[in-house]
Amino acid sequence: MELIDTHAHIYTPEFGADRDEMLARARAAGVVCVLAPCIDAASVEPMLALAADYSGFVRPMLGLHPTELPAAPEAALDAMEQMLMRDKSRFVAVGEVGLDFYWDASRREEQIAAFVRQAGWAVRYDLPLMIHARSAHRELVNALLPMEKNLARGGVFHCFSGSAEEAAELLQRFPRFVLGIGGVLTFRNCRLGATLAAVVPLERIVLETDAPYLAPVPHRGRRNEPAFLTHVVAKLSEVYGLPPDDVARVTTATARRIFSLS
């Protein structure tokens, strides 16, 4: 069983004491690739250093997270775009980018402007998008829809946990995009499984952990890590009534296609 973790912040200090061992556990669990999104200017260097140390196994993305916008985000965005201009081949996607009005909606227009600019990078440099959205479904759709036809590589709506109606709208309006599904699916009383079964074909899903966050049951409350993808696969197997190997095969093929992974 080959698995791809399409979203893991494994360059963070939470893994400083046992990063090598954590990645060895991932390999032992069947993980063949981990995609690492950055969130701000400070995370770019440790992300790239880890990708260099684990060339081919850890693949980096580049983007500015909506909750990490500095007071004047233009300098950080300019620096990131320069990196893409110099060598876009270093990165598998533009991410983690998006909109988040859950904690603070006071910078709504700045978030939207930064997201639209970074989505433009995906068009210009022919890269997929890794999109974070929280309490911002309508704004996200409105911002992204004018670019849909030009986003040839599509992307992922990361950590999707919305309603069946929201899932159906995203999949219908953005046919090149898929949903990123992780540990939230395993949480008690989570309705996501019913949503997936009702409106989301397995071919429109990729696996993710969002490590070190959102560890699945039975590890909930602990630090998450890519090896825990096996618990997400097990739950998806229940949801779709398919063997775990089939879930792994389909989701891995989808991840390889979107991120151009060999």
Side-chain angles (χ1 to χ4, degrees), residues 69 74 77 99 107-119 143:
L69 291 187
E74 291 77 15
L77 292 169
L99 303 173
R107 302 182 67 190
R108 181 182 300 260
E109 296 308 315
E110 288 179 274
Q111 281 196 34
I112 292 172
F115 172 60
V116 169
R117 176 175 176 181
Q118 292 177 96

Side-chain angles (χ1 to χ4, degrees), residues 67-117:
T67 66
E68 302 301 322
L69 291 187
E74 291 77 15
L77 292 169
D78 288 347
M80 288 181 177
E81 187 164 12
Q82 286 293 321
M83 296 182 73
L84 286 171
M85 290 175 63
R86 287 195 298 270
D87 187 7
K88 72 156 193 172
S89 65
R90 299 177 73 183
F91 305 101
V92 294
V94 173
E96 174 179 0
V97 303
L99 303 173
D100 191 319
F101 305 139
Y102 180 80
W103 296 110
D104 182 5
S106 66
R107 302 182 67 190
R108 181 182 300 260
E109 296 308 315
E110 288 179 274
Q111 281 196 34
I112 292 172
F115 172 60
V116 169
R117 176 175 176 181

Side-chain angles (χ1 to χ4, degrees), residues 42-259:
S43 61
V44 173
E45 184 176 346
M47 175 192 69
L48 290 177
L50 183 62
D53 289 343
Y54 287 88
S55 179
F57 184 64
V58 176
R59 304 290 299 275
M61 307 180 199
L62 189 67
L64 184 60
H65 192 286
T67 66
E68 302 301 322
L69 291 187
E74 291 77 15
L77 292 169
D78 288 347
M80 288 181 177
E81 187 164 12
Q82 286 293 321
M83 296 182 73
L84 286 171
M85 290 175 63
R86 287 195 298 270
D87 187 7
K88 72 156 193 172
S89 65
R90 299 177 73 183
F91 305 101
V92 294
V94 173
E96 174 179 0
V97 303
L99 303 173
D100 191 319
F101 305 139
Y102 180 80
W103 296 110
D104 182 5
S106 66
R107 302 182 67 190
R108 181 182 300 260
E109 296 308 315
E110 288 179 274
Q111 281 196 34
I112 292 172
F115 172 60
V116 169
R117 176 175 176 181
Q118 292 177 96
W121 299 348
V123 174
R124 189 172 309 120
Y125 301 107
D126 192 33
L127 290 168
L129 277 170
M130 177 62 70
I131 296 177
H132 169 107
R134 191 173 188 191
S135 300
H137 174 81
R138 184 54 48 208
E139 293 89 344
L140 174 71
V141 170
N142 291 343
L144 197 60
L145 200 55
M147 294 180 277
E148 188 277 324
K149 292 183 179 177
N150 295 319
L151 290 164
R153 297 283 299 283
V156 177
F157 295 109
H158 153 63
C159 197
F160 180 80
S161 58
S163 67
E165 292 76 16
E166 289 170 340
E169 181 177 16
L170 292 176
L171 296 182
Q172 188 273 326
R173 289 183 177 270
F174 305 103
R176 300 178 186 88
F177 281 74
V178 300
L179 307 183
I181 302 299
V184 171
L185 178 66
T186 70
F187 293 176
R188 185 179 179 184
N189 299 325
C190 175
R191 297 182 56 82
L192 181 57
T195 293
L196 298 180
V199 300
V200 183
L202 183 60
E203 292 78 9
R204 301 293 298 274
I205 287 174
V206 293
L207 307 177
E208 62 176 35
T209 58
D210 203 18
Y213 316 110
L214 298 175
V217 174
H219 303 287
R220 190 173 184 184
R222 293 173 47 193
R223 183 194 71 178
N224 202 0
E225 60 180 71
F228 296 167
L229 272 187
T230 55
H231 300 292
V232 180
V233 170
K235 189 63 178 180
L236 284 170
S237 176
E238 294 179 17
V239 168
Y240 287 98
L242 293 170
D245 283 349
D246 286 357
V247 171
R249 175 180 53 79
V250 172
T251 57
T252 295
T254 300
R256 289 191 187 281
R257 173 178 57 80
I258 289 176
F259 295 102

